[in-house]
Amino acid sequence: PGKGIDTPYLADEHTFTRYSVPQPPPLCARGTIHKNGEGIVCVSDTAILDPVECAWVVSEVNRVAEAGWKQDAKKETIGTDKIWARPFPDRLWMREVPGMLNWFESRLRSRLFPMLQSLYPEIIPKADDLRCHDAFVVRYDAAGMADLEMHQDTTSFSFTIALNDKSDYGGGGTMFPLVRNALDLAAVLEP
């Protein structure tokens, strides 16, 4: 997918729910550019990527993963930025799946970077200014990696894309323990 059908991201076709945190993320190796925690967590109310493409990603990743999911080999190399205390067992880097990196880079340029720029225009003047640091697919299941331990990503912007339809599984979601909005103080954001 993606060849010749690279539809651009149109901000007025998508809605997001914004959440706030008490303070912006603390400085890390790559720094933070958020002045405060107001509205910095955004959850899409609509699909950003075509479900057919997401199904292709799942299919290709599963095909490559038949040889085995990757796991950090040594404790001192756990995670790119050493932010996890335990091995990260069910992950494949985009570059390890033939054709996946080209597809993902195309989607970064056409949809994902423009989405981020439209959500944070005061911080990101041009979508072309953005770069992707880590790109991988993670499989969560009760028999393997049921969750990822609490951690803070080490970049100013991160996004998680649910590749499966909600009807394909039970549970799941991303927890932001410090998120607050008008209705709740701790939010679990379902994909």
Side-chain angles (χ1 to χ4, degrees):
K3 295 189 174 136
I5 55 166
D6 214 7
T7 57
Y9 174 80
L10 301 172
D12 59 349
E13 292 181 1
H14 300 278
T15 59
F16 290 80
T17 302
R18 285 188 177 263
Y19 296 88
S20 298
V21 295
Q23 61 189 21
L27 286 176
C28 63
R30 292 186 194 91
T32 185
I33 53 179
H34 301 285
K35 292 183 174 105
N36 61 52
E38 290 302 314
I40 67 171
V41 177
C42 297
V43 179
S44 174
D45 300 319
T46 55
I48 303 299
L49 297 178
D50 184 319
V52 171
E53 291 187 62
C54 292
W56 173 79
V57 171
V58 171
S59 172
E60 290 302 296
V61 166
N62 283 336
R63 184 181 58 76
V64 170
E66 286 178 4
W69 286 87
K70 305 296 183 210
Q71 180 167 332
D72 296 307
K74 297 179 247 168
K75 187 164 178 59
E76 64 271 10
T77 62
I78 292 175
T80 302
D81 295 307
K82 303 176 186 172
I83 59 176
W84 300 294
R86 65 179 193 234
F88 196 161
D90 293 348
R91 171 192 66 210
L92 281 177
W93 295 98
M94 291 280 187
R95 66 180 173 268
E96 296 173 320
V97 182
M100 190 69 56
L101 188 58
N102 288 338
W103 170 83
F104 186 65
E105 288 174 345
S106 173
R107 290 304 168 264
L108 285 171
R109 287 188 305 278
S110 66
R111 302 195 67 72
L112 301 171
F113 286 166
M115 173 195 71
L116 286 173
Q117 192 278 327
S118 74
L119 293 169
Y120 306 97
E122 68 286 351
I123 299 172
I124 307 169
K126 298 182 306 201
D128 290 342
D129 291 339
L130 295 171
R131 299 293 178 267
C132 181
H133 176 68
D134 288 331
F136 52 86
V137 176
V138 179
R139 175 186 64 176
Y140 296 98
D141 70 19
M145 189 166 100
D147 64 356
L148 186 57
E149 67 191 78
M150 190 74 64
H151 69 280
Q152 178 181 321
D153 288 350
T154 58
T155 57
S156 293
F157 298 95
S158 293
F159 53 85
T160 299
I161 301 169
L163 296 171
N164 299 88
D165 189 86
K166 286 182 187 181
S167 64
D168 292 345
Y169 58 90
T174 300
M175 185 174 81
F176 295 87
L178 298 178
V179 164
R180 68 184 192 284
N181 68 13
L183 300 176
D184 55 20
L185 296 176
V188 175
L189 308 175
E190 293 183 12

